[in-house]
Amino acid sequence: MTAQRVVVVGAGLGGLRSAEGLRAKGFEGEIIVIGNEPWAPYNRPPLSKEALTSEIQHEKLAFRIRGNASDVVWRLGESVESADLDSRTVTLSDGTSLSYDGLVAATGVSARRLPISGPPALASGGRHVIRNLDDAIALRAALVPGAHIVVLGAGFIGCEVAATARLLGCTVHCVAIDPHPMVRPLGYELAIELQHRHEAQGVVFHLGTGVTAFEGMGQVTGVLLSDGTHLRADFVLEALGSHCNVGWLEDQRLDLTDGVLTDNALRPMRDGTAVDGVVVVGDIARFPNPRFDEGAFRVEHWNVPTDTGRRASAVLSAYLAGESYDELAQTQWSMLPSFWSDQYDIRMQSYGMTNLADPDRIHLLEGDLHGECVIGYHRGEDLVAVVGLGMLKVVNSYRDQVGSTSFLASQTTA
Ligand SMILES: Cc1cc2nc3c(=O)[nH]c(=O)nc-3n(C[C@H](O)[C@H](O)[C@H](O)COP(=O)(O)OP(=O)(O)OC[C@H]3O[C@@H](n4cnc5c(N)ncnc54)[C@H](O)[C@@H]3O)c2cc1C
């Protein structure tokens, strides 16, 4: 009998954890991981934080690959162009095809660019994004003391880079259409407090306004805002969110409206039915999570590739072994999204889904908003998220209370 083969598309954290998970679950066949970056899997969060303050090296950021995955075949610098879920093949950009018995989709997201006129969307023209190691190396080289940087977008990544750029002695302007930085995930009170802390460090915000044009021919020299303001810029960072890398799954009758819609076993849904032999992990997975009880959500947090990778590899290995698969796939699985962010000396830690909260049900739970504190995000009576500024032990102590009331009750009676 020929050995089974699993193809993992995407050599990031989700791809790595899925490969390790398959081995941990006893899958003995061939595992091939295809990644379009030249690098073995590495940690992305430091790219907008501490890694930007020194020389950026892959060795410092690379994940250690667990011993059980030492025989995984890494095909780095190669891209998957398309998949055919019926014939169970993927086609690479060089035109070659690979057949599979199991497929893991772990292709993450790409940075969005502003579709406006100006120099080409390249770091060499002063238009940076920050999604991968090469982006960070280019941005690091530009962050010299005295440089004028305009950060477009005031989400977490934009604000982290703004903070790091101030620490490195750059002049930083931050432009966003939102009324306050990070207001969408955090709500008004915390967003206003964080805005004040950034302003105290010298970041100048231009809020409630968009960008009309980048100035300069081959190289950005300035930014024109929709309120008429002109900002000098030696370079810009476009930190405007992301789009999912799912083009290679088009024409497969999957729901790709926001990532890949899956069932609770992380199998993609096709015409209302889960596709066997395929699982989706990490940033691109939009899955139902009974902890928050309604709908399916996609979450771009660091713990998601690990948690979904573990669930997906258990489901896929059971399918490939032909054992207890239906039972496992039908067992409800839940997870608690978490993220952290470092800005200056502030460590922000969160559990849950702040975006599910009722806007008027976001309250201080502990501490002092102007110092260290924990904020609670409620939907009706449910605590759907907590965010701490500092107070790590306290915010951690709320973990088990986060979720829908019915889910938490089922956990205590189980
Ligand atoms: C700068 C930055 C800072 C962050 N900071 C935080 C933080 O502080 N806290 C937090 O919780 N999360 C943070 N995150 C988010 C976290 O890093 C992601 O959620 C996580 O990396 C997602 O893992 P993934 O495996 O799903 O995708 P990725 O890590 O993006 O890996 C996907 C890989 O697939 C490759 N790929 C795409 N298409 C193809 C194709 N067709 N063929 C082959 N390969 C392909 C991609 O190039 C990439 O290498 C940050 C992310 C970034 C970029």
Side-chain angles (χ1 to χ4, degrees), residues 9-15 34-37 42-49 78-81 106-110 130-132 157 160 245 248 281-284 299-305 338-342:
V9 186
L13 180 56
I34 302 168
N36 63 5
E37 292 186 66
Y42 59 87
N43 203 14
R44 290 178 205 275
L47 298 179
S48 51
K49 310 179 184 72
E78 297 190 60
S79 182
V80 169
E81 288 296 297
T107 40
V109 300
S110 294
I130 181 103
R131 184 66 217 165
N132 61 38
I157 289 181
E160 288 172 354
N245 298 322
W248 63 282
V281 305
D283 281 356
I284 59 168
V299 184
E300 291 181 26
H301 293 342
W302 193 84
N303 77 313
V304 176
S338 76
F339 78 83
W340 76 97
S341 178
D342 295 326

Side-chain angles (χ1 to χ4, degrees), residues 141-410:
L143 286 171
V144 294
H148 285 242
I149 169 172
V150 176
V151 177
L152 307 175
F156 285 110
I157 289 181
C159 287
E160 288 172 354
V161 174
T164 310
R166 282 301 298 140
L167 295 173
L168 290 169
C170 302
T171 297
V172 181
H173 289 256
C174 184
V175 181
I177 50 168
D178 290 333
H180 301 288
M182 299 169 278
V183 68
R184 290 187 216 192
L186 296 180
Y188 273 79
E189 260 192 310
L190 196 48
I192 291 168
E193 170 63 21
L194 290 168
Q195 179 178 341
H196 290 156
R197 295 193 193 193
H198 273 277
E199 286 169 343
Q201 297 285 344
V203 174
V204 181
F205 285 100
H206 304 265
L207 297 164
T209 185
V211 174
T212 313
F214 292 128
E215 295 166 332
M217 295 296 282
Q219 177 77 32
V220 170
T221 56
V223 175
L224 189 61
L225 306 188
S226 44
D227 65 6
T229 306
H230 165 268
L231 298 175
R232 172 183 163 186
D234 296 322
F235 60 96
V236 300
L237 173 73
E238 292 169 72
L240 300 152
S242 59
H243 60 83
C244 294
N245 298 322
V246 295
W248 63 282
L249 285 166
E250 268 168 20
D251 305 325
Q252 296 304 305
R253 305 199 323 276
L254 305 181
D255 180 341
L256 304 180
T257 42
D258 177 23
V260 186
L261 177 67
T262 74
D263 69 353
N264 182 260
L266 299 169
R267 300 171 297 182
M269 299 303 291
R270 175 191 256 185
D271 305 330
T273 308
V275 182
D276 284 329
V278 185
V279 286
V280 185
V281 305
D283 281 356
I284 59 168
R286 180 159 57 96
F287 54 93
N289 184 352
R291 191 167 191 127
F292 300 98
D293 70 19
E294 57 180 49
F297 303 101
R298 198 175 67 74
V299 184
E300 291 181 26
H301 293 342
W302 193 84
N303 77 313
V304 176
T306 297
D307 287 1
T308 53
R310 196 175 297 129
R311 166 70 164 165
S313 52
V315 168
L316 188 56
S317 57
Y319 171 74
L320 293 169
E323 293 163 3
S324 60
Y325 169 61
D326 290 333
E327 195 188 330
L328 181 67
Q330 276 153 30
T331 310
Q332 282 290 301
W333 162 83
S334 70
M335 61 146 332
L336 179 61
S338 76
F339 78 83
W340 76 97
S341 178
D342 295 326
Q343 297 170 36
Y344 313 105
D345 58 351
I346 311 163
R347 164 52 71 112
M348 204 183 310
Q349 175 70 52
S350 166
Y351 296 104
M353 299 193 60
T354 56
N355 57 319
L356 296 184
D358 302 328
D360 58 347
R361 302 270 291 126
I362 301 172
H363 302 298
L364 184 71
L365 293 177
E366 310 231 12
D368 169 12
L369 184 65
H370 307 301
E372 297 205 334
C373 60
V374 177
I375 310 281
Y377 296 73
H378 292 84
R379 177 184 57 187
E381 294 309 307
D382 296 341
L383 180 68
V384 287
V386 283
V387 174
L389 295 190
M391 301 187 85
L392 285 186
K393 278 195 181 148
V394 182
V395 75
N396 285 346
S397 71
Y398 279 93
R399 288 179 63 140
D400 293 344
Q401 298 174 40
V402 174
S404 73
T405 317
S406 55
F407 170 79
L408 295 171
S410 74

